[in-house]
Amino acid sequence: MNCMECERNGVHRTAVALCHHCSAALCMEHAEVVPKRLEMQVPVCKTVALPIAARLVLCGICRRAIEQPHLLKIA
């Protein structure tokens, strides 16, 4: 499988990962690895962050979409 972003630019490069959100194939250059905070539920409806983060692979488009500021204002 080839990297989707490279193919769009006429370059053939082997993919090494898939975007976690959209499943696009990505090469090392286009795969963006970000930490994913894991949480667990404890009694009395409390959420606690676990100390070790997982890894999340995203394409640039999905990363920008996920990290965009929330524009919704609650009145």
Side-chain angles (χ1 to χ4, degrees), residues 1-7 10-18 24-31:
M1 187 180 310
N2 291 334
C3 174
M4 183 177 146
E5 297 297 327
C6 289
E7 288 290 329
V11 177
H12 302 294
R13 191 173 289 149
T14 303
V16 296
L18 298 176
L26 304 165
C27 66
M28 286 298 290
E29 181 181 336
H30 291 108

Side-chain angles (χ1 to χ4, degrees), residues 3 6-7 11 17-19 21 34 38 58 63 67 69 74:
C3 174
C6 289
E7 288 290 329
V11 177
L18 298 176
C19 174
H21 191 71
V34 296
L38 300 177
L58 297 170
R63 182 176 184 178
E67 293 179 347
I74 299 173

Side-chain angles (χ1 to χ4, degrees), residues 37-63:
R37 234 175 125 185
L38 300 177
E39 299 174 337
M40 66 179 229
Q41 296 290 322
V42 293
V44 192
C45 299
K46 184 177 179 184
T47 302
V48 176
L50 297 173
I52 300 172
R55 131 179 92 195
L56 186 64
V57 178
L58 297 170
C59 67
I61 293 170
C62 289
R63 182 176 184 178

